[in-house]
C-alpha cells in the first residue's frame, strides 16, 4: 500500500510534464512467467556483459526461473569503447556519451584485456584502436547469446530500496528514449529483487577549482583564439590545437594521451604535474608544476612562474565515482559528500566522497545498513585493473552469492575485512578514503585482487579447487611488461613486421606466446641499444 501511494505521487508530476508512463511487462523473457528471482543490471560495458554471462554460466537448476534484464541507456554495448553518435559534441555542462577520441588505442596489450576464454580475432594489432575493443564486446554479447537480455535506450533514472536489512524490493524508474520514437521519453517502473550496478566510472568529470578562472576566461587577448578550459572528456582531435599554446593538466591515461598527441600539434604544450607525476615519456611537452591560481592575464603555477600566452587548458584530472540514480534527489541509497567525516563503520548509508564508494565488501557488495548485501552489488569499481577478467572474477562472486547468500561471510565479518583493508592502506602511508578503489597496496595488486576473490569461492566450496590461480601467468606478464610490449610493438610496426608477429595467433596460449616472444625480442634489443628515449606514438595512428 505504501509503495502504491508513493507511485501515484511520483507519476502525477511526470504526466503533467508530458512523459509517457507505463508499467513494464512483468517478464523480460518469453518463457519466464513468475521469476523466482529478478535481477536488474545497469550498463552494457565490460562489467554489465560479464555479469549477465556469468549468471547464465551457473548450472541451469540453480538459476531456474531467474529473470535478468540489463538496462543500457545507449544504442549498443561497449560502454566507453562505443563512440558518441555522429554530430556535434555536446558543450558543457552537457556531457558527451563517451570520452572516446578518434585516435584512442588501448594502452594495454589486448590479450590481457580479454574475458577468460574469449580472445580477440586473429591479426588484431597488439594495442588495437578503439573500434576493435567495441567490436570485441559486441562479439562477446553475440557469441554467448546475451543480446536477448539487453534493453538499449533504457536509462535508469532512480533506484530506491523499499525494505529493510533483511528483505525488500528495488523500485526502478526507467527512461525509455527510442531513437525513432516519440520526442519525449516514456517512463517505466519496475520492481526487482537485486540490483547490479555496472555504470562505469569515466563519465562524470572531476574539474578542480582554481581562483581566478572566470577572469582569465573573460579576458582573451585580441586576435587570439577564445580562451578555454576543457576536461579531457571533451577532448577529440589534436588538430584543434594547431598553433595554440596549451597546458595539459595531469599525467594519468587521459593526460598522457593528450600530451602525446597535442604535443605534436600545439605551438607549445606544457604538462602540469603533481610532485609525484613523471612527464609523459615521448611527449613534446614542457613540464610545469601544479597550477596555483589564475589572474586575468596569466596561469600561475605553484613555483611562482606564470604563462600569459595560454589559449587552452586540457584537464586530464579524472572522473568522479557518482551514480545519480542511487543518489539525491532521485534516491537516498548513496549519499554524496566530498568532505564526509563518516567512515566505513559509522556510515549511516552508502556514501561516495566522489573517489570512493563505501562501505562495500571487496569493492562489490553494499554493506550499507538497511539493505541486504546481496541486494546491491557493483561490477567494475576497482581502478588500475584489467577490466574484463576482473569483472568476471567479481561476477563469479556475485552470481554465487545470488544463488546462495550464505556464500558470503556475515555482515560483521565483511565489515571487519573492509576495516582491515583500510588499516593496511593507512599502515602503508595511504589514505583509504583518497585511494578509494585503486588497487595500490602491496598485497592488493590487480591480479592478487582477482585471485583473492575467486580463491574465496574455492575456499567456501562454491566452485571446485583446481589448484590454479584465476589470473594466468601470461596475463601477469602482459600487464607487468605493458610498456616494454608497447615499445616492442612500435618497433615491429616501424620495421613492417607486425603482421608476421601475429601470424597464427588465435588461442589464449598462442597470444600468450606472441607476448612472451615479443618481451624477449625487445629485452634483447634494449640490452644492446638501451631503452628508446622516446616512444614513437605515430605508429599507433598508421
Ligand atoms: C579513454 C579511456 C581509455 C581506456 N583505455 C583502457 C585500456 O587501454 N586498457 C584498459 O584495460 N582499460 C582502459 N580503460 C578503462 C575502461 O574504463 C575499461 O576498459 C572498461 O571498458 C570499463 O567498463 P565498464 O563496464 O566498467 O564501464 P563503461 O565502459 O563506462 O560502461 C558503463 C555503461 O553503463 C551505462 N550506464 C551508465 N549509467 C546508466 C544508467 N543510468 N542507465 C543505463 N545505462 C547506464 C553507460 O552508458 C555505459 O554503456 C579506458 C578508459 C577510458 C575512459
Amino acid at each position: 500500500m505504501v509503495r502504491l501511494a508513493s507511485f501515484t505521487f511520483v507519476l502525477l508530476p511526470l504526466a503533467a510534464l508530458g512523459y509517457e508512463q507505463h508499467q513494464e511487462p512483468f517478464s523480460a523473457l518469453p518463457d519466464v512467467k513468475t521469476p523466482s528471482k529478478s535481477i536488474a543490471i545497469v550498463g552494457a560495458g565490460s562489467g554489465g556483459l560479464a555479469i549477465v554471462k556469468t549468471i547464465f554460466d551457473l548450472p541451469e537448476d540453480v538459476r531456474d526461473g531467474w529473470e535478468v534484464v540489463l538496462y543500457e541507456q545507449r544504442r549498443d554495448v561497449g560502454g566507453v569503447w562505443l563512440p558518441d553518435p555522429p554530430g556535434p559534441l555536446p558543450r558543457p555542462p552537457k556531457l558527451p556519451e563517451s570520452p572516446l577520441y578518434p585516435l584512442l588505442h588501448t594502452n594495454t596489450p589486448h590479450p590481457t584485456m580479454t574475458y577468460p576464454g574469449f580472445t580477440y580475432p586473429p591479426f588484431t594489432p597488439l594495442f588495437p584502436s578503439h573500434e576493435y575493443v567495441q567490436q570485441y564486446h559486441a562479439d562477446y554479447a553475440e557469441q554467448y547469446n546475451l543480446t536477448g537480455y539487453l534493453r538499449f535506450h533504457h536509462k535508469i533514472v532512480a533506484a530506491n530500496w523499499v525494505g529493510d536489512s533483511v528483505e525488500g524490493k528495488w523500485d526502478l524508474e526507467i527512461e525509455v528514449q527510442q531513437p525513432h520514437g516519440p520526442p519525449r521519453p516514456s517512463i517505466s517502473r519496475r520492481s526487482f529483487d537485486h540490483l547490479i550496478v555496472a555504470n562505469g566510472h569515466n563519465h562524470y568529470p572531476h574539474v578542480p577549482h582554481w581562483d581566478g578562472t572566470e577572469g582569465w576566461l573573460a579576458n582573451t587577448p585580441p586576435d587570439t583564439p577564445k580562451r578555454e578550459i576543457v576536461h579531457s572528456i571533451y577532448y577529440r582531435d589534436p588538430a584543434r590545437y594547431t598553433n595554440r599554446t596549451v597546458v595539459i593538466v595531469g599525467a594519468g591515461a587521459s593526460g598522457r594521451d593528450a600530451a602525446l598527441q597535442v604535443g605534436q600539434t600545439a605551438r607549445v604544450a606544457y604538462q602540469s604535474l603533481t610532485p609525484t607525476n613523471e612527464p609523459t615519456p615521448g611527449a613534446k611537452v614542457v613540464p610545469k608544476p601544479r597550477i596555483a591560481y589564475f589572474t586575468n592575464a596569466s596561469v600561475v603555477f605553484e613555483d611562482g612562474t606564470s604563462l600569459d600566452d595560454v589559449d587552452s587548458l586540457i584537464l586530464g584530472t579524472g572522473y568522479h565515482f557518482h551514480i545519480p540514480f542511487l543518489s539525491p534527489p532521485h534516491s537516498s541509497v548513496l549519499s554524496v559528500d566530498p568532505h564526509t567525516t563518516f567512515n566505513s563503520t559509522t556510515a549511516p548509508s552508502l556514501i561516495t566522497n566522489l573517489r570512493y564508494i563505501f562501505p562495500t565488501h571487496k569493492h562489490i557488495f553494499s554493506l550499507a545498513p538497511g539493505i541486504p548485501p546481496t541486494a546491491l552489488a557493483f561490477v567494475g569499481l576497482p581502478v588500475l585493473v584489467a577490466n574484463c577478467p576482473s569483472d568476471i572474477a567479481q561476477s563469479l562472486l556475485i552470481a554465487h552469492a545470488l544463488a546462495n547468500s550464505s556464500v558470503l561471510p556475515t555482515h560483521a565479518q565483511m565489515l571487519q575485512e573492509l576495516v582491515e583493508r583500510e588499516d593496511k592502506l593507512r599502515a602503508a602511508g595511504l589514505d583509504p578514503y583518497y585511494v578509494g578503489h585503486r588497487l595500490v597496496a602491496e598485497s592488493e595488486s590487480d591480479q592478487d585482487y582477482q585471485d583473492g576473490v575467486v580463491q574465496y569461492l574455492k575456499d567456501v566450496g562454491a566452485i571446485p579447487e583446481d589448484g590454479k590461480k584465476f589470473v594466468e601467468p601470461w596475463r601477469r606478464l602482459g600487464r607487468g611488461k605493458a610498456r616494454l610490449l608497447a615499445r616492442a610493438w612500435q618497433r615491429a610496426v616501424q620495421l613492417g613486421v607486425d603482421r608476421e608477429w601475429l601470424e597464427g595467433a588465435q588461442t589464449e596460449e598462442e597470444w600468450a606466446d606472441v607476448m612472451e616472444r615479443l618481451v624477449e625480442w625487445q629485452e634483447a634489443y634494449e640490452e644492446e641499444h638501451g631503452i628508446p628515449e622516446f616512444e614513437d606514438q605515430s605508429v599507433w595512428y598508421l
Side-chain angles (χ1 to χ4, degrees):
M1 284 306 289
V2 173
R3 280 167 57 206
L4 280 178
S6 72
F7 277 5
T8 313
F9 174 76
V10 176
L11 288 175
L12 275 176
L14 290 170
L17 287 170
Y19 286 101
E20 279 181 34
Q21 308 150 23
H22 60 270
Q23 295 281 327
E24 277 206 8
F26 185 64
S27 172
L29 300 175
D31 56 340
V32 177
K33 296 286 182 298
T34 312
S36 57
K37 199 183 277 296
S38 54
I39 303 162
I41 299 164
V42 187
S46 311
L49 296 182
I51 181 64
V52 182
K53 161 79 163 57
T54 309
I55 288 174
F56 287 101
D57 283 347
L58 288 171
E60 222 171 316
D61 57 325
V62 172
R63 59 176 166 81
D64 188 35
W66 291 14
E67 183 198 14
V68 177
V69 186
L70 186 154
Y71 293 107
E72 168 54 57
Q73 62 193 354
R74 301 184 63 199
R75 65 191 187 281
D76 204 345
V77 300
V80 293
W81 301 101
L82 178 67
D84 268 313
L89 195 65
R91 295 178 62 80
K94 210 164 177 286
L95 294 170
E97 291 185 14
S98 165
L100 185 150
Y101 35 90
L103 295 181
L104 178 65
H105 283 59
T106 70
N107 53 24
T108 45
H110 68 74
T112 66
M113 292 174 66
T114 54
Y115 295 110
F118 192 73
T119 55
Y120 275 70
F123 290 108
T124 304
L126 202 59
F127 291 81
S129 61
H130 59 85
E131 294 92 343
Y132 288 89
V133 189
Q134 200 278 326
Q135 188 58 48
Y136 175 82
H137 287 86
D139 291 347
Y140 187 75
E142 191 69 32
Q143 170 76 21
Y144 295 108
N145 298 319
L146 308 182
T147 43
Y149 305 100
L150 311 183
R151 302 276 189 93
F152 295 118
H153 304 292
H154 283 59
K155 176 180 182 176
I156 304 299
V157 287
N160 281 285
W161 178 247
V162 183
D164 53 30
S165 62
V166 181
E167 59 179 11
K169 287 263 184 196
W170 287 101
D171 281 334
L172 297 194
E173 193 177 307
I174 307 149
E175 198 177 272
V176 187
Q177 178 71 79
Q178 296 295 350
H180 305 297
R184 279 186 176 278
S186 64
I187 298 288
S188 294
R189 304 189 78 93
R190 269 290 320 259
S191 74
F192 284 91
D193 301 318
H194 301 272
L195 177 64
I196 303 174
V197 177
N199 70 328
H201 43 70
N202 296 115
H203 296 285
Y204 301 102
H206 167 62
V207 177
H209 170 80
W210 293 286
D211 286 340
T213 50
E214 281 179 17
W216 182 80
L217 285 168
N219 283 282
T220 301
D223 304 323
T224 63
K226 191 166 166 22
R227 286 176 171 172
E228 60 179 19
I229 302 176
V230 286
H231 189 272
S232 61
I233 196 170
Y234 297 95
Y235 170 73
R236 292 295 179 270
D237 182 6
R240 181 167 195 286
Y241 299 94
T242 306
N243 291 328
R244 292 193 188 198
T245 299
V246 183
V247 176
I248 296 140
V249 181
S254 312
R256 180 176 181 278
D257 271 11
L260 286 162
Q261 294 167 17
V262 174
Q264 305 282 340
T265 56
R267 181 171 47 229
V268 190
Y270 298 88
Q271 190 174 19
S272 167
L273 304 160
T274 66
T276 53
N277 286 159
E278 293 280 322
T280 301
K284 273 178 61 188
V285 291
V286 181
K288 294 296 278 180
R290 277 190 295 224
I291 294 173
Y293 58 91
F294 290 69
T295 66
N296 284 0
S298 314
V299 183
V300 183
F301 295 88
E302 283 188 347
D303 62 356
T305 58
S306 62
L307 296 170
D308 54 14
D309 61 346
V310 174
D311 301 305
S312 304
L313 281 97
I314 301 173
L315 307 182
T317 43
Y319 294 87
H320 287 158
F321 281 80
H322 182 38
I323 309 176
F325 57 87
L326 286 179
S327 293
H330 310 288
S331 168
S332 53
V333 170
L334 176 67
S335 307
V336 183
D337 183 356
H339 309 292
T340 183
T341 51
F342 286 113
N343 61 37
S344 289
T345 44
T346 60
S349 68
L350 272 185
I351 300 179
T352 175
N353 65 10
L354 302 179
R355 300 184 64 92
Y356 184 37
I357 294 176
F358 65 93
T360 65
H361 176 57
K362 295 188 190 296
H363 310 273
I364 301 173
F365 295 101
S366 159
L367 293 179
I371 302 178
T374 56
L376 177 58
F378 301 92
V379 182
L381 285 183
V383 183
L384 304 179
V385 299
N387 276 82
C388 292
S390 173
D391 294 339
I392 292 288
Q394 294 191 315
S395 297
L396 280 167
L397 185 54
I398 296 172
H400 283 277
L402 291 183
N404 172 9
S405 62
S406 69
V407 156
L408 293 181
T410 64
H411 189 279
Q413 285 166 333
M414 291 191 277
L415 203 52
Q416 180 57 29
E417 187 182 317
L418 176 61
V419 168
E420 282 166 18
R421 170 189 188 254
E422 294 181 355
D423 284 346
K424 202 184 298 174
L425 287 168
R426 280 192 203 93
L430 300 165
D431 174 359
Y433 293 80
Y434 184 81
V435 165
H437 302 286
R438 280 168 192 271
L439 302 178
V440 289
E442 218 169 74
S443 60
E444 202 191 33
S445 77
D446 169 3
Q447 294 91 2
D448 292 342
Y449 167 75
Q450 298 169 50
D451 285 343
V453 168
V454 177
Q455 188 58 48
Y456 173 78
L457 282 170
K458 294 177 185 173
D459 292 346
V460 296
I463 59 176
E465 176 57 79
D466 56 2
K468 290 186 196 154
K469 299 224 173 196
F470 174 74
V471 180
E472 306 88 333
W474 52 265
R475 279 191 205 267
R476 282 183 182 264
L477 175 95
R479 290 289 285 191
K481 304 266 184 193
R483 297 314 319 150
L484 180 92
L485 280 164
R487 296 196 294 274
W489 187 245
Q490 286 163 354
R491 194 155 68 89
V493 173
Q494 280 161 348
L495 295 172
V497 296
D498 45 321
R499 272 186 77 84
E500 284 168 38
W501 275 100
L502 306 181
E503 197 80 52
Q506 208 161 340
T507 63
E508 286 183 334
E509 292 69 27
E510 287 158 355
W511 280 110
D513 182 56
V514 171
M515 290 196 298
E516 278 156 21
R517 286 186 295 110
L518 272 169
V519 164
E520 276 174 33
W521 183 61
Q522 188 65 12
E523 279 178 346
Y525 175 84
E526 293 187 0
E527 217 164 276
E528 197 176 330
H529 302 276
I531 298 176
E533 197 177 336
F534 295 116
E535 288 178 26
D536 181 358
Q537 288 291 315
S538 61
V539 301
W540 277 179
Y541 314 127
L542 292 174

PDB file of all heavy atoms in Angstrom, residues 5 37 45 62 78 88 96 117 157 171 174 213 225 239 304 312 323 328 331 364 391 435 475 492 521:
ATOM      1  N   ALA A   5       0.992   4.116  -3.017  1.00  0.00           N
ATOM      2  CA  ALA A   5       0.726   5.532  -2.767  1.00  0.00           C
ATOM      3  C   ALA A   5       1.884   6.380  -3.289  1.00  0.00           C
ATOM      4  O   ALA A   5       1.684   7.390  -3.937  1.00  0.00           O
ATOM      5  CB  ALA A   5       0.543   5.755  -1.272  1.00  0.00           C
ATOM      6  N   LYS A  37      13.460 -15.123  -8.993  1.00  0.00           N
ATOM      7  CA  LYS A  37      14.395 -14.069  -8.573  1.00  0.00           C
ATOM      8  C   LYS A  37      14.501 -13.106  -9.739  1.00  0.00           C
ATOM      9  O   LYS A  37      14.659 -13.541 -10.878  1.00  0.00           O
ATOM     10  CB  LYS A  37      15.756 -14.736  -8.332  1.00  0.00           C
ATOM     11  CG  LYS A  37      16.716 -13.968  -7.489  1.00  0.00           C
ATOM     12  CD  LYS A  37      18.042 -14.702  -7.396  1.00  0.00           C
ATOM     13  CE  LYS A  37      18.108 -15.794  -6.346  1.00  0.00           C
ATOM     14  NZ  LYS A  37      17.971 -15.352  -4.972  1.00  0.00           N
ATOM     15  N   GLY A  45      28.602  -2.079 -20.628  1.00  0.00           N
ATOM     16  CA  GLY A  45      30.045  -2.066 -20.888  1.00  0.00           C
ATOM     17  C   GLY A  45      30.631  -3.411 -20.503  1.00  0.00           C
ATOM     18  O   GLY A  45      29.907  -4.417 -20.374  1.00  0.00           O
ATOM     19  N   VAL A  62      20.218 -24.171 -10.836  1.00  0.00           N
ATOM     20  CA  VAL A  62      20.446 -23.117  -9.840  1.00  0.00           C
ATOM     21  C   VAL A  62      19.743 -21.823 -10.261  1.00  0.00           C
ATOM     22  O   VAL A  62      19.131 -21.135  -9.449  1.00  0.00           O
ATOM     23  CB  VAL A  62      21.965 -22.858  -9.665  1.00  0.00           C
ATOM     24  CG1 VAL A  62      22.223 -21.639  -8.799  1.00  0.00           C
ATOM     25  CG2 VAL A  62      22.641 -24.087  -9.076  1.00  0.00           C
ATOM     26  N   GLY A  78      29.433  -1.911 -25.110  1.00  0.00           N
ATOM     27  CA  GLY A  78      30.815  -1.430 -25.231  1.00  0.00           C
ATOM     28  C   GLY A  78      31.180  -0.320 -24.271  1.00  0.00           C
ATOM     29  O   GLY A  78      32.356  -0.044 -24.079  1.00  0.00           O
ATOM     30  N   PRO A  88      27.538  17.074 -33.692  1.00  0.00           N
ATOM     31  CA  PRO A  88      28.405  17.919 -32.872  1.00  0.00           C
ATOM     32  C   PRO A  88      28.506  17.403 -31.439  1.00  0.00           C
ATOM     33  O   PRO A  88      27.555  16.830 -30.909  1.00  0.00           O
ATOM     34  CB  PRO A  88      27.719  19.289 -32.921  1.00  0.00           C
ATOM     35  CG  PRO A  88      26.391  19.081 -33.535  1.00  0.00           C
ATOM     36  CD  PRO A  88      26.324  17.727 -34.145  1.00  0.00           C
ATOM     37  N   PRO A  96      29.321  14.492 -23.094  1.00  0.00           N
ATOM     38  CA  PRO A  96      29.292  13.513 -24.189  1.00  0.00           C
ATOM     39  C   PRO A  96      28.914  12.138 -23.629  1.00  0.00           C
ATOM     40  O   PRO A  96      29.027  11.906 -22.426  1.00  0.00           O
ATOM     41  CB  PRO A  96      30.735  13.481 -24.700  1.00  0.00           C
ATOM     42  CG  PRO A  96      31.508  14.462 -23.911  1.00  0.00           C
ATOM     43  CD  PRO A  96      30.667  14.955 -22.786  1.00  0.00           C
ATOM     44  N   GLY A 117      38.904 -17.042 -21.916  1.00  0.00           N
ATOM     45  CA  GLY A 117      38.398 -17.968 -22.928  1.00  0.00           C
ATOM     46  C   GLY A 117      37.851 -17.312 -24.180  1.00  0.00           C
ATOM     47  O   GLY A 117      37.359 -18.000 -25.068  1.00  0.00           O
ATOM     48  N   VAL A 157      16.796   6.052 -14.062  1.00  0.00           N
ATOM     49  CA  VAL A 157      16.883   7.408 -13.507  1.00  0.00           C
ATOM     50  C   VAL A 157      16.711   7.423 -11.991  1.00  0.00           C
ATOM     51  O   VAL A 157      17.117   8.383 -11.335  1.00  0.00           O
ATOM     52  CB  VAL A 157      15.884   8.387 -14.182  1.00  0.00           C
ATOM     53  CG1 VAL A 157      16.345   8.718 -15.580  1.00  0.00           C
ATOM     54  CG2 VAL A 157      14.475   7.843 -14.195  1.00  0.00           C
ATOM     55  N   ASP A 171      12.643  -0.455  -6.405  1.00  0.00           N
ATOM     56  CA  ASP A 171      11.740   0.232  -7.325  1.00  0.00           C
ATOM     57  C   ASP A 171      12.605   0.992  -8.316  1.00  0.00           C
ATOM     58  O   ASP A 171      13.350   1.897  -7.921  1.00  0.00           O
ATOM     59  CB  ASP A 171      10.859   1.242  -6.583  1.00  0.00           C
ATOM     60  CG  ASP A 171       9.718   0.557  -5.880  1.00  0.00           C
ATOM     61  OD1 ASP A 171       9.321  -0.532  -6.329  1.00  0.00           O
ATOM     62  OD2 ASP A 171       9.229   1.116  -4.876  1.00  0.00           O
ATOM     63  N   ILE A 174      12.613   4.030 -15.043  1.00  0.00           N
ATOM     64  CA  ILE A 174      13.419   3.820 -16.257  1.00  0.00           C
ATOM     65  C   ILE A 174      12.923   4.765 -17.352  1.00  0.00           C
ATOM     66  O   ILE A 174      11.729   4.784 -17.656  1.00  0.00           O
ATOM     67  CB  ILE A 174      13.277   2.354 -16.740  1.00  0.00           C
ATOM     68  CG1 ILE A 174      13.585   1.398 -15.587  1.00  0.00           C
ATOM     69  CG2 ILE A 174      14.181   2.080 -17.941  1.00  0.00           C
ATOM     70  CD1 ILE A 174      12.822   0.099 -15.665  1.00  0.00           C
ATOM     71  N   THR A 213      39.715  31.748 -12.457  1.00  0.00           N
ATOM     72  CA  THR A 213      39.468  31.205 -13.806  1.00  0.00           C
ATOM     73  C   THR A 213      38.474  32.066 -14.587  1.00  0.00           C
ATOM     74  O   THR A 213      38.648  32.279 -15.787  1.00  0.00           O
ATOM     75  CB  THR A 213      38.942  29.752 -13.758  1.00  0.00           C
ATOM     76  OG1 THR A 213      37.870  29.684 -12.845  1.00  0.00           O
ATOM     77  CG2 THR A 213      40.023  28.775 -13.384  1.00  0.00           C
ATOM     78  N   PRO A 225      42.795  32.841 -30.195  1.00  0.00           N
ATOM     79  CA  PRO A 225      41.588  32.011 -30.028  1.00  0.00           C
ATOM     80  C   PRO A 225      40.965  32.247 -28.654  1.00  0.00           C
ATOM     81  O   PRO A 225      41.677  32.571 -27.699  1.00  0.00           O
ATOM     82  CB  PRO A 225      42.128  30.581 -30.122  1.00  0.00           C
ATOM     83  CG  PRO A 225      43.537  30.679 -30.599  1.00  0.00           C
ATOM     84  CD  PRO A 225      44.025  32.070 -30.345  1.00  0.00           C
ATOM     85  N   ALA A 239      44.348  18.199 -33.882  1.00  0.00           N
ATOM     86  CA  ALA A 239      44.476  19.263 -34.894  1.00  0.00           C
ATOM     87  C   ALA A 239      43.841  20.568 -34.410  1.00  0.00           C
ATOM     88  O   ALA A 239      44.248  21.666 -34.807  1.00  0.00           O
ATOM     89  CB  ALA A 239      43.817  18.812 -36.194  1.00  0.00           C
ATOM     90  N   GLY A 304      55.564  29.705  -8.635  1.00  0.00           N
ATOM     91  CA  GLY A 304      55.587  31.154  -8.829  1.00  0.00           C
ATOM     92  C   GLY A 304      55.754  31.578 -10.278  1.00  0.00           C
ATOM     93  O   GLY A 304      55.557  32.740 -10.605  1.00  0.00           O
ATOM     94  N   SER A 312      44.565  27.328 -24.309  1.00  0.00           N
ATOM     95  CA  SER A 312      43.668  26.210 -23.928  1.00  0.00           C
ATOM     96  C   SER A 312      44.266  25.431 -22.774  1.00  0.00           C
ATOM     97  O   SER A 312      45.482  25.205 -22.733  1.00  0.00           O
ATOM     98  CB  SER A 312      43.509  25.227 -25.092  1.00  0.00           C
ATOM     99  OG  SER A 312      43.052  25.864 -26.238  1.00  0.00           O
ATOM    100  N   ILE A 323      26.838   7.952  -8.950  1.00  0.00           N
ATOM    101  CA  ILE A 323      25.761   7.111  -9.509  1.00  0.00           C
ATOM    102  C   ILE A 323      24.448   7.857  -9.283  1.00  0.00           C
ATOM    103  O   ILE A 323      23.767   7.666  -8.262  1.00  0.00           O
ATOM    104  CB  ILE A 323      25.741   5.725  -8.820  1.00  0.00           C
ATOM    105  CG1 ILE A 323      27.146   5.104  -8.852  1.00  0.00           C
ATOM    106  CG2 ILE A 323      24.712   4.808  -9.491  1.00  0.00           C
ATOM    107  CD1 ILE A 323      27.269   3.777  -8.112  1.00  0.00           C
ATOM    108  N   PRO A 328      20.553  11.436  -4.076  1.00  0.00           N
ATOM    109  CA  PRO A 328      19.577  12.521  -4.099  1.00  0.00           C
ATOM    110  C   PRO A 328      19.702  13.347  -5.383  1.00  0.00           C
ATOM    111  O   PRO A 328      20.825  13.508  -5.864  1.00  0.00           O
ATOM    112  CB  PRO A 328      19.945  13.367  -2.872  1.00  0.00           C
ATOM    113  CG  PRO A 328      20.686  12.412  -1.971  1.00  0.00           C
ATOM    114  CD  PRO A 328      21.397  11.460  -2.895  1.00  0.00           C
ATOM    115  N   SER A 331      17.197   9.275  -5.172  1.00  0.00           N
ATOM    116  CA  SER A 331      17.225   8.134  -4.261  1.00  0.00           C
ATOM    117  C   SER A 331      18.061   8.519  -3.040  1.00  0.00           C
ATOM    118  O   SER A 331      18.887   9.441  -3.104  1.00  0.00           O
ATOM    119  CB  SER A 331      17.868   6.942  -4.982  1.00  0.00           C
ATOM    120  OG  SER A 331      18.174   5.914  -4.080  1.00  0.00           O
ATOM    121  N   ILE A 364      32.548  -4.786  -4.016  1.00  0.00           N
ATOM    122  CA  ILE A 364      31.457  -5.398  -4.781  1.00  0.00           C
ATOM    123  C   ILE A 364      30.093  -5.198  -4.092  1.00  0.00           C
ATOM    124  O   ILE A 364      29.198  -4.573  -4.663  1.00  0.00           O
ATOM    125  CB  ILE A 364      31.707  -6.914  -4.979  1.00  0.00           C
ATOM    126  CG1 ILE A 364      33.021  -7.148  -5.723  1.00  0.00           C
ATOM    127  CG2 ILE A 364      30.537  -7.551  -5.744  1.00  0.00           C
ATOM    128  CD1 ILE A 364      33.434  -8.613  -5.826  1.00  0.00           C
ATOM    129  N   ASP A 391      36.175  -8.101 -14.010  1.00  0.00           N
ATOM    130  CA  ASP A 391      34.706  -8.107 -13.999  1.00  0.00           C
ATOM    131  C   ASP A 391      34.180  -9.535 -13.862  1.00  0.00           C
ATOM    132  O   ASP A 391      33.171  -9.773 -13.193  1.00  0.00           O
ATOM    133  CB  ASP A 391      34.154  -7.501 -15.301  1.00  0.00           C
ATOM    134  CG  ASP A 391      34.476  -6.019 -15.442  1.00  0.00           C
ATOM    135  OD1 ASP A 391      34.748  -5.363 -14.421  1.00  0.00           O
ATOM    136  OD2 ASP A 391      34.452  -5.523 -16.585  1.00  0.00           O
ATOM    137  N   VAL A 435      42.559   6.951  -1.683  1.00  0.00           N
ATOM    138  CA  VAL A 435      42.931   5.862  -2.602  1.00  0.00           C
ATOM    139  C   VAL A 435      41.679   5.247  -3.226  1.00  0.00           C
ATOM    140  O   VAL A 435      41.640   4.927  -4.413  1.00  0.00           O
ATOM    141  CB  VAL A 435      43.724   4.777  -1.834  1.00  0.00           C
ATOM    142  CG1 VAL A 435      43.818   3.488  -2.627  1.00  0.00           C
ATOM    143  CG2 VAL A 435      45.110   5.293  -1.491  1.00  0.00           C
ATOM    144  N   ARG A 475      48.897 -13.372 -18.267  1.00  0.00           N
ATOM    145  CA  ARG A 475      48.239 -12.068 -18.066  1.00  0.00           C
ATOM    146  C   ARG A 475      49.101 -11.186 -17.173  1.00  0.00           C
ATOM    147  O   ARG A 475      49.244  -9.988 -17.389  1.00  0.00           O
ATOM    148  CB  ARG A 475      46.873 -12.245 -17.397  1.00  0.00           C
ATOM    149  CG  ARG A 475      45.781 -12.638 -18.342  1.00  0.00           C
ATOM    150  CD  ARG A 475      44.434 -12.519 -17.653  1.00  0.00           C
ATOM    151  NE  ARG A 475      43.478 -13.387 -18.280  1.00  0.00           N
ATOM    152  CZ  ARG A 475      42.651 -13.025 -19.267  1.00  0.00           C
ATOM    153  NH1 ARG A 475      42.661 -11.803 -19.723  1.00  0.00           N
ATOM    154  NH2 ARG A 475      41.815 -13.906 -19.781  1.00  0.00           N
ATOM    155  N   ALA A 492      58.081  -3.235 -33.995  1.00  0.00           N
ATOM    156  CA  ALA A 492      57.618  -4.190 -35.007  1.00  0.00           C
ATOM    157  C   ALA A 492      56.872  -3.466 -36.130  1.00  0.00           C
ATOM    158  O   ALA A 492      57.057  -3.770 -37.311  1.00  0.00           O
ATOM    159  CB  ALA A 492      56.718  -5.244 -34.357  1.00  0.00           C
ATOM    160  N   TRP A 521      62.325 -10.485 -27.383  1.00  0.00           N
ATOM    161  CA  TRP A 521      62.877  -9.751 -28.535  1.00  0.00           C
ATOM    162  C   TRP A 521      63.242  -8.331 -28.126  1.00  0.00           C
ATOM    163  O   TRP A 521      64.332  -7.834 -28.422  1.00  0.00           O
ATOM    164  CB  TRP A 521      61.800  -9.746 -29.631  1.00  0.00           C
ATOM    165  CG  TRP A 521      62.157  -9.122 -30.932  1.00  0.00           C
ATOM    166  CD1 TRP A 521      63.144  -9.499 -31.792  1.00  0.00           C
ATOM    167  CD2 TRP A 521      61.488  -8.003 -31.558  1.00  0.00           C
ATOM    168  NE1 TRP A 521      63.127  -8.701 -32.907  1.00  0.00           N
ATOM    169  CE2 TRP A 521      62.122  -7.776 -32.797  1.00  0.00           C
ATOM    170  CE3 TRP A 521      60.410  -7.193 -31.204  1.00  0.00           C
ATOM    171  CZ2 TRP A 521      61.723  -6.760 -33.671  1.00  0.00           C
ATOM    172  CZ3 TRP A 521      60.004  -6.197 -32.076  1.00  0.00           C
ATOM    173  CH2 TRP A 521      60.656  -5.978 -33.291  1.00  0.00           C
TER     174      TRP A 521
END
